Amino acid sequence: MTRTVGQRDRSELILDPAEALRRGRSLDAMLGSLRVPRPPGVTRATHRAMNAADDARQLATARLLNARR
């Protein structure tokens, strides 16, 4: 189903593969700078501790996103 909002066609599908690849690469470059790095090496912990570490990384990422507005 395609919806037209207002006077402009706002289809999210990009039919040209070269343009889709170019847009994807530009989005990856923009979002890559917001990624909080993981600690190097192997981490062994309980499931609860790993979930807490993931939550902390998500919070740090959200703070980065909101600080750039």
PDB file of all heavy atoms in Angstrom, residues 9-37:
ATOM      1  N   ASP A   9       4.968  12.849  -3.304  1.00  0.00           N
ATOM      2  CA  ASP A   9       4.982  11.407  -3.095  1.00  0.00           C
ATOM      3  C   ASP A   9       6.132  11.080  -2.144  1.00  0.00           C
ATOM      4  O   ASP A   9       7.287  11.344  -2.449  1.00  0.00           O
ATOM      5  CB  ASP A   9       5.172  10.694  -4.427  1.00  0.00           C
ATOM      6  CG  ASP A   9       5.132   9.182  -4.262  1.00  0.00           C
ATOM      7  OD1 ASP A   9       4.626   8.711  -3.236  1.00  0.00           O
ATOM      8  OD2 ASP A   9       5.613   8.489  -5.173  1.00  0.00           O
ATOM      9  N   ARG A  10       5.834  10.535  -1.002  1.00  0.00           N
ATOM     10  CA  ARG A  10       6.856  10.268   0.005  1.00  0.00           C
ATOM     11  C   ARG A  10       7.117   8.768   0.120  1.00  0.00           C
ATOM     12  O   ARG A  10       7.131   8.210   1.197  1.00  0.00           O
ATOM     13  CB  ARG A  10       6.425  10.842   1.346  1.00  0.00           C
ATOM     14  CG  ARG A  10       6.211  12.332   1.275  1.00  0.00           C
ATOM     15  CD  ARG A  10       6.143  12.912   2.661  1.00  0.00           C
ATOM     16  NE  ARG A  10       5.876  14.318   2.612  1.00  0.00           N
ATOM     17  CZ  ARG A  10       6.801  15.251   2.558  1.00  0.00           C
ATOM     18  NH1 ARG A  10       8.054  14.916   2.526  1.00  0.00           N
ATOM     19  NH2 ARG A  10       6.474  16.521   2.520  1.00  0.00           N
ATOM     20  N   SER A  11       7.339   8.135  -1.005  1.00  0.00           N
ATOM     21  CA  SER A  11       7.623   6.707  -1.009  1.00  0.00           C
ATOM     22  C   SER A  11       9.006   6.471  -0.404  1.00  0.00           C
ATOM     23  O   SER A  11       9.969   7.150  -0.726  1.00  0.00           O
ATOM     24  CB  SER A  11       7.576   6.172  -2.427  1.00  0.00           C
ATOM     25  OG  SER A  11       7.961   4.826  -2.432  1.00  0.00           O
ATOM     26  N   GLU A  12       9.109   5.506   0.470  1.00  0.00           N
ATOM     27  CA  GLU A  12      10.377   5.205   1.114  1.00  0.00           C
ATOM     28  C   GLU A  12      11.220   4.249   0.293  1.00  0.00           C
ATOM     29  O   GLU A  12      12.371   3.997   0.612  1.00  0.00           O
ATOM     30  CB  GLU A  12      10.138   4.625   2.501  1.00  0.00           C
ATOM     31  CG  GLU A  12       9.482   5.618   3.429  1.00  0.00           C
ATOM     32  CD  GLU A  12       9.205   5.030   4.783  1.00  0.00           C
ATOM     33  OE1 GLU A  12       9.659   3.912   5.051  1.00  0.00           O
ATOM     34  OE2 GLU A  12       8.537   5.690   5.571  1.00  0.00           O
ATOM     35  N   LEU A  13      10.649   3.688  -0.760  1.00  0.00           N
ATOM     36  CA  LEU A  13      11.386   2.745  -1.581  1.00  0.00           C
ATOM     37  C   LEU A  13      12.247   3.486  -2.595  1.00  0.00           C
ATOM     38  O   LEU A  13      11.778   4.370  -3.296  1.00  0.00           O
ATOM     39  CB  LEU A  13      10.423   1.817  -2.318  1.00  0.00           C
ATOM     40  CG  LEU A  13       9.542   0.939  -1.438  1.00  0.00           C
ATOM     41  CD1 LEU A  13       8.567   0.152  -2.289  1.00  0.00           C
ATOM     42  CD2 LEU A  13      10.384   0.006  -0.608  1.00  0.00           C
ATOM     43  N   ILE A  14      13.503   3.107  -2.661  1.00  0.00           N
ATOM     44  CA  ILE A  14      14.410   3.682  -3.647  1.00  0.00           C
ATOM     45  C   ILE A  14      14.626   2.609  -4.706  1.00  0.00           C
ATOM     46  O   ILE A  14      15.160   1.534  -4.422  1.00  0.00           O
ATOM     47  CB  ILE A  14      15.747   4.079  -2.994  1.00  0.00           C
ATOM     48  CG1 ILE A  14      15.500   5.092  -1.888  1.00  0.00           C
ATOM     49  CG2 ILE A  14      16.698   4.634  -4.032  1.00  0.00           C
ATOM     50  CD1 ILE A  14      16.698   5.350  -1.028  1.00  0.00           C
ATOM     51  N   LEU A  15      14.205   2.884  -5.910  1.00  0.00           N
ATOM     52  CA  LEU A  15      14.251   1.875  -6.956  1.00  0.00           C
ATOM     53  C   LEU A  15      15.611   1.769  -7.628  1.00  0.00           C
ATOM     54  O   LEU A  15      15.934   0.737  -8.201  1.00  0.00           O
ATOM     55  CB  LEU A  15      13.164   2.165  -7.995  1.00  0.00           C
ATOM     56  CG  LEU A  15      11.733   2.170  -7.435  1.00  0.00           C
ATOM     57  CD1 LEU A  15      10.736   2.500  -8.522  1.00  0.00           C
ATOM     58  CD2 LEU A  15      11.407   0.830  -6.808  1.00  0.00           C
ATOM     59  N   ASP A  16      16.404   2.819  -7.586  1.00  0.00           N
ATOM     60  CA  ASP A  16      17.728   2.803  -8.201  1.00  0.00           C
ATOM     61  C   ASP A  16      18.726   2.180  -7.224  1.00  0.00           C
ATOM     62  O   ASP A  16      18.967   2.729  -6.149  1.00  0.00           O
ATOM     63  CB  ASP A  16      18.155   4.224  -8.555  1.00  0.00           C
ATOM     64  CG  ASP A  16      19.508   4.286  -9.219  1.00  0.00           C
ATOM     65  OD1 ASP A  16      19.909   3.283  -9.833  1.00  0.00           O
ATOM     66  OD2 ASP A  16      20.158   5.339  -9.137  1.00  0.00           O
ATOM     67  N   PRO A  17      19.329   1.040  -7.559  1.00  0.00           N
ATOM     68  CA  PRO A  17      20.238   0.380  -6.616  1.00  0.00           C
ATOM     69  C   PRO A  17      21.466   1.212  -6.272  1.00  0.00           C
ATOM     70  O   PRO A  17      21.932   1.179  -5.131  1.00  0.00           O
ATOM     71  CB  PRO A  17      20.655  -0.903  -7.346  1.00  0.00           C
ATOM     72  CG  PRO A  17      19.697  -1.086  -8.445  1.00  0.00           C
ATOM     73  CD  PRO A  17      19.126   0.239  -8.767  1.00  0.00           C
ATOM     74  N   ALA A  18      21.991   1.969  -7.222  1.00  0.00           N
ATOM     75  CA  ALA A  18      23.175   2.782  -6.941  1.00  0.00           C
ATOM     76  C   ALA A  18      22.850   3.882  -5.939  1.00  0.00           C
ATOM     77  O   ALA A  18      23.625   4.158  -5.018  1.00  0.00           O
ATOM     78  CB  ALA A  18      23.716   3.388  -8.234  1.00  0.00           C
ATOM     79  N   GLU A  19      21.699   4.517  -6.094  1.00  0.00           N
ATOM     80  CA  GLU A  19      21.302   5.568  -5.156  1.00  0.00           C
ATOM     81  C   GLU A  19      21.007   4.981  -3.779  1.00  0.00           C
ATOM     82  O   GLU A  19      21.360   5.568  -2.751  1.00  0.00           O
ATOM     83  CB  GLU A  19      20.074   6.314  -5.668  1.00  0.00           C
ATOM     84  CG  GLU A  19      19.661   7.452  -4.769  1.00  0.00           C
ATOM     85  CD  GLU A  19      18.415   8.171  -5.251  1.00  0.00           C
ATOM     86  OE1 GLU A  19      17.976   7.934  -6.382  1.00  0.00           O
ATOM     87  OE2 GLU A  19      17.890   8.973  -4.466  1.00  0.00           O
ATOM     88  N   ALA A  20      20.376   3.813  -3.745  1.00  0.00           N
ATOM     89  CA  ALA A  20      20.089   3.162  -2.467  1.00  0.00           C
ATOM     90  C   ALA A  20      21.384   2.821  -1.733  1.00  0.00           C
ATOM     91  O   ALA A  20      21.497   3.029  -0.521  1.00  0.00           O
ATOM     92  CB  ALA A  20      19.260   1.901  -2.695  1.00  0.00           C
ATOM     93  N   LEU A  21      22.381   2.334  -2.458  1.00  0.00           N
ATOM     94  CA  LEU A  21      23.667   2.015  -1.848  1.00  0.00           C
ATOM     95  C   LEU A  21      24.360   3.273  -1.335  1.00  0.00           C
ATOM     96  O   LEU A  21      24.901   3.295  -0.227  1.00  0.00           O
ATOM     97  CB  LEU A  21      24.560   1.298  -2.855  1.00  0.00           C
ATOM     98  CG  LEU A  21      25.912   0.832  -2.358  1.00  0.00           C
ATOM     99  CD1 LEU A  21      25.754  -0.187  -1.236  1.00  0.00           C
ATOM    100  CD2 LEU A  21      26.713   0.246  -3.495  1.00  0.00           C
ATOM    101  N   ARG A  22      24.299   4.345  -2.125  1.00  0.00           N
ATOM    102  CA  ARG A  22      24.915   5.608  -1.708  1.00  0.00           C
ATOM    103  C   ARG A  22      24.241   6.158  -0.455  1.00  0.00           C
ATOM    104  O   ARG A  22      24.896   6.594   0.491  1.00  0.00           O
ATOM    105  CB  ARG A  22      24.841   6.626  -2.852  1.00  0.00           C
ATOM    106  CG  ARG A  22      25.626   7.879  -2.592  1.00  0.00           C
ATOM    107  CD  ARG A  22      25.622   8.830  -3.776  1.00  0.00           C
ATOM    108  NE  ARG A  22      24.281   9.277  -4.107  1.00  0.00           N
ATOM    109  CZ  ARG A  22      23.638   8.978  -5.247  1.00  0.00           C
ATOM    110  NH1 ARG A  22      24.214   8.259  -6.162  1.00  0.00           N
ATOM    111  NH2 ARG A  22      22.418   9.419  -5.465  1.00  0.00           N
ATOM    112  N   ARG A  23      22.916   6.112  -0.415  1.00  0.00           N
ATOM    113  CA  ARG A  23      22.197   6.592   0.779  1.00  0.00           C
ATOM    114  C   ARG A  23      22.489   5.736   1.998  1.00  0.00           C
ATOM    115  O   ARG A  23      22.652   6.233   3.105  1.00  0.00           O
ATOM    116  CB  ARG A  23      20.696   6.600   0.528  1.00  0.00           C
ATOM    117  CG  ARG A  23      20.215   7.793  -0.195  1.00  0.00           C
ATOM    118  CD  ARG A  23      18.708   7.851  -0.086  1.00  0.00           C
ATOM    119  NE  ARG A  23      18.175   8.905  -0.909  1.00  0.00           N
ATOM    120  CZ  ARG A  23      16.898   9.191  -0.972  1.00  0.00           C
ATOM    121  NH1 ARG A  23      16.041   8.489  -0.272  1.00  0.00           N
ATOM    122  NH2 ARG A  23      16.480  10.162  -1.728  1.00  0.00           N
ATOM    123  N   GLY A  24      22.543   4.422   1.782  1.00  0.00           N
ATOM    124  CA  GLY A  24      22.843   3.516   2.888  1.00  0.00           C
ATOM    125  C   GLY A  24      24.219   3.770   3.469  1.00  0.00           C
ATOM    126  O   GLY A  24      24.407   3.787   4.678  1.00  0.00           O
ATOM    127  N   ARG A  25      25.205   3.987   2.595  1.00  0.00           N
ATOM    128  CA  ARG A  25      26.559   4.261   3.071  1.00  0.00           C
ATOM    129  C   ARG A  25      26.635   5.583   3.824  1.00  0.00           C
ATOM    130  O   ARG A  25      27.346   5.703   4.818  1.00  0.00           O
ATOM    131  CB  ARG A  25      27.536   4.260   1.901  1.00  0.00           C
ATOM    132  CG  ARG A  25      27.830   2.866   1.416  1.00  0.00           C
ATOM    133  CD  ARG A  25      28.848   2.869   0.314  1.00  0.00           C
ATOM    134  NE  ARG A  25      29.153   1.498  -0.068  1.00  0.00           N
ATOM    135  CZ  ARG A  25      29.708   1.164  -1.203  1.00  0.00           C
ATOM    136  NH1 ARG A  25      30.034   2.093  -2.088  1.00  0.00           N
ATOM    137  NH2 ARG A  25      29.960  -0.089  -1.479  1.00  0.00           N
ATOM    138  N   SER A  26      25.911   6.588   3.352  1.00  0.00           N
ATOM    139  CA  SER A  26      25.936   7.872   4.054  1.00  0.00           C
ATOM    140  C   SER A  26      25.265   7.758   5.425  1.00  0.00           C
ATOM    141  O   SER A  26      25.729   8.345   6.400  1.00  0.00           O
ATOM    142  CB  SER A  26      25.294   8.975   3.215  1.00  0.00           C
ATOM    143  OG  SER A  26      23.915   8.760   3.083  1.00  0.00           O
ATOM    144  N   LEU A  27      24.171   6.992   5.509  1.00  0.00           N
ATOM    145  CA  LEU A  27      23.523   6.784   6.805  1.00  0.00           C
ATOM    146  C   LEU A  27      24.423   5.994   7.751  1.00  0.00           C
ATOM    147  O   LEU A  27      24.509   6.309   8.941  1.00  0.00           O
ATOM    148  CB  LEU A  27      22.191   6.052   6.625  1.00  0.00           C
ATOM    149  CG  LEU A  27      21.052   6.877   6.071  1.00  0.00           C
ATOM    150  CD1 LEU A  27      19.855   5.986   5.781  1.00  0.00           C
ATOM    151  CD2 LEU A  27      20.666   7.972   7.037  1.00  0.00           C
ATOM    152  N   ASP A  28      25.098   4.977   7.226  1.00  0.00           N
ATOM    153  CA  ASP A  28      26.018   4.211   8.058  1.00  0.00           C
ATOM    154  C   ASP A  28      27.138   5.098   8.595  1.00  0.00           C
ATOM    155  O   ASP A  28      27.557   4.957   9.740  1.00  0.00           O
ATOM    156  CB  ASP A  28      26.619   3.050   7.269  1.00  0.00           C
ATOM    157  CG  ASP A  28      25.630   1.912   7.066  1.00  0.00           C
ATOM    158  OD1 ASP A  28      24.590   1.904   7.752  1.00  0.00           O
ATOM    159  OD2 ASP A  28      25.898   1.046   6.217  1.00  0.00           O
ATOM    160  N   ALA A  29      27.630   6.015   7.761  1.00  0.00           N
ATOM    161  CA  ALA A  29      28.704   6.913   8.198  1.00  0.00           C
ATOM    162  C   ALA A  29      28.208   7.855   9.285  1.00  0.00           C
ATOM    163  O   ALA A  29      28.934   8.137  10.250  1.00  0.00           O
ATOM    164  CB  ALA A  29      29.235   7.708   7.017  1.00  0.00           C
ATOM    165  N   MET A  30      26.968   8.340   9.148  1.00  0.00           N
ATOM    166  CA  MET A  30      26.434   9.250  10.166  1.00  0.00           C
ATOM    167  C   MET A  30      26.200   8.529  11.483  1.00  0.00           C
ATOM    168  O   MET A  30      26.521   9.043  12.554  1.00  0.00           O
ATOM    169  CB  MET A  30      25.115   9.866   9.689  1.00  0.00           C
ATOM    170  CG  MET A  30      25.268  10.924   8.655  1.00  0.00           C
ATOM    171  SD  MET A  30      23.751  11.833   8.338  1.00  0.00           S
ATOM    172  CE  MET A  30      22.668  10.580   7.721  1.00  0.00           C
ATOM    173  N   LEU A  31      25.629   7.338  11.426  1.00  0.00           N
ATOM    174  CA  LEU A  31      25.283   6.624  12.650  1.00  0.00           C
ATOM    175  C   LEU A  31      26.488   5.954  13.293  1.00  0.00           C
ATOM    176  O   LEU A  31      26.480   5.681  14.494  1.00  0.00           O
ATOM    177  CB  LEU A  31      24.203   5.586  12.354  1.00  0.00           C
ATOM    178  CG  LEU A  31      22.871   6.171  11.907  1.00  0.00           C
ATOM    179  CD1 LEU A  31      21.910   5.062  11.517  1.00  0.00           C
ATOM    180  CD2 LEU A  31      22.272   7.037  12.988  1.00  0.00           C
ATOM    181  N   GLY A  32      27.537   5.691  12.533  1.00  0.00           N
ATOM    182  CA  GLY A  32      28.719   5.050  13.089  1.00  0.00           C
ATOM    183  C   GLY A  32      29.426   5.899  14.126  1.00  0.00           C
ATOM    184  O   GLY A  32      30.042   5.377  15.057  1.00  0.00           O
ATOM    185  N   SER A  33      29.326   7.213  13.995  1.00  0.00           N
ATOM    186  CA  SER A  33      29.987   8.087  14.957  1.00  0.00           C
ATOM    187  C   SER A  33      29.263   8.116  16.298  1.00  0.00           C
ATOM    188  O   SER A  33      29.817   8.571  17.293  1.00  0.00           O
ATOM    189  CB  SER A  33      30.082   9.506  14.399  1.00  0.00           C
ATOM    190  OG  SER A  33      28.784  10.054  14.249  1.00  0.00           O
ATOM    191  N   LEU A  34      28.045   7.632  16.338  1.00  0.00           N
ATOM    192  CA  LEU A  34      27.271   7.645  17.579  1.00  0.00           C
ATOM    193  C   LEU A  34      27.401   6.348  18.369  1.00  0.00           C
ATOM    194  O   LEU A  34      26.855   6.235  19.450  1.00  0.00           O
ATOM    195  CB  LEU A  34      25.792   7.883  17.265  1.00  0.00           C
ATOM    196  CG  LEU A  34      25.468   9.216  16.639  1.00  0.00           C
ATOM    197  CD1 LEU A  34      24.015   9.263  16.232  1.00  0.00           C
ATOM    198  CD2 LEU A  34      25.785  10.331  17.598  1.00  0.00           C
ATOM    199  N   ARG A  35      28.106   5.395  17.819  1.00  0.00           N
ATOM    200  CA  ARG A  35      28.225   4.100  18.468  1.00  0.00           C
ATOM    201  C   ARG A  35      29.184   4.189  19.647  1.00  0.00           C
ATOM    202  O   ARG A  35      30.297   4.688  19.522  1.00  0.00           O
ATOM    203  CB  ARG A  35      28.725   3.077  17.466  1.00  0.00           C
ATOM    204  CG  ARG A  35      28.463   1.670  17.882  1.00  0.00           C
ATOM    205  CD  ARG A  35      28.774   0.695  16.795  1.00  0.00           C
ATOM    206  NE  ARG A  35      28.633   1.295  15.484  1.00  0.00           N
ATOM    207  CZ  ARG A  35      29.237   0.860  14.407  1.00  0.00           C
ATOM    208  NH1 ARG A  35      30.021  -0.171  14.465  1.00  0.00           N
ATOM    209  NH2 ARG A  35      29.062   1.462  13.245  1.00  0.00           N
ATOM    210  N   VAL A  36      28.768   3.700  20.784  1.00  0.00           N
ATOM    211  CA  VAL A  36      29.617   3.655  21.970  1.00  0.00           C
ATOM    212  C   VAL A  36      30.467   2.394  21.857  1.00  0.00           C
ATOM    213  O   VAL A  36      29.931   1.301  21.665  1.00  0.00           O
ATOM    214  CB  VAL A  36      28.764   3.628  23.256  1.00  0.00           C
ATOM    215  CG1 VAL A  36      29.633   3.483  24.480  1.00  0.00           C
ATOM    216  CG2 VAL A  36      27.915   4.876  23.340  1.00  0.00           C
ATOM    217  N   PRO A  37      31.792   2.510  21.942  1.00  0.00           N
ATOM    218  CA  PRO A  37      32.636   1.329  21.744  1.00  0.00           C
ATOM    219  C   PRO A  37      32.476   0.298  22.853  1.00  0.00           C
ATOM    220  O   PRO A  37      32.266   0.639  24.013  1.00  0.00           O
ATOM    221  CB  PRO A  37      34.051   1.896  21.730  1.00  0.00           C
ATOM    222  CG  PRO A  37      33.955   3.185  22.452  1.00  0.00           C
ATOM    223  CD  PRO A  37      32.568   3.705  22.219  1.00  0.00           C
TER     224      PRO A  37
END
